[in-house]
Amino acid sequence: MRADPDSAVEEVGSVLIALADPTRRRLLDLLAALGVATATTLAGRLPVSRQAVVKHLSLLDAAGLVVGSRVGREVRYSLRPTGLDATTRWMSSLAADWDRRLAAIKRVAETVERDSP
């Protein structure tokens, strides 16, 4: 996560927006399976146009989830797993907060049960 809290919130937000779309999640799945692929290759495996795939890849790139590398006239895309790091940390922190709250509720419930006549 970046040092600036506002940029960290923005980074997590852009990843969540990118992951909200099922076509973009499918693109990530395909890139995970293929390793590296062009927009044309990816479009051949989806029911959308190559231009739509390019737009989705652009958003995924802006969110830090994929990276495109020019090889001759082609742009080859691959996953950038570190793009999920800030979002993973945020989700883990959120889960830990809920775990603490649930543990506190459990303690109260057990105390009430134990002290009941």
Side-chain angles (χ1 to χ4, degrees):
M1 204 176 311
R2 298 176 190 147
D4 177 17
D6 290 337
S7 64
V9 168
E10 194 173 307
E11 183 179 354
V12 169
S14 66
V15 168
L16 293 176
I17 288 168
L19 295 176
D21 184 274
T23 300
R24 289 191 285 272
R25 290 193 306 271
R26 182 69 181 123
L27 284 168
L28 293 175
D29 290 340
L30 286 169
L31 286 172
L34 299 172
V36 176
T38 65
T40 302
T41 301
L42 294 166
R45 295 172 179 240
L46 294 169
V48 296
S49 68
R50 181 192 171 286
Q51 291 79 8
V53 167
V54 169
K55 287 182 180 182
H56 284 298
L57 288 168
S58 176
L59 199 144
L60 290 168
D61 187 19
L65 299 174
V66 301
V67 63
S69 304
R70 186 164 287 283
V71 178
R73 293 177 46 184
E74 291 183 329
V75 178
R76 296 180 185 170
Y77 293 90
S78 59
L79 289 180
R80 193 169 159 243
T82 57
L84 287 174
D85 289 350
T87 305
T88 301
R89 283 192 299 275
W90 173 74
M91 292 177 85
S92 294
S93 173
L94 192 61
D97 286 344
W98 275 105
D99 287 345
R100 282 191 292 280
R101 290 176 185 170
L102 292 172
I105 291 169
K106 180 181 178 190
R107 282 192 302 276
V108 168
E110 288 172 346
T111 300
V112 169
E113 184 179 333
R114 187 179 58 241
D115 295 344
S116 295

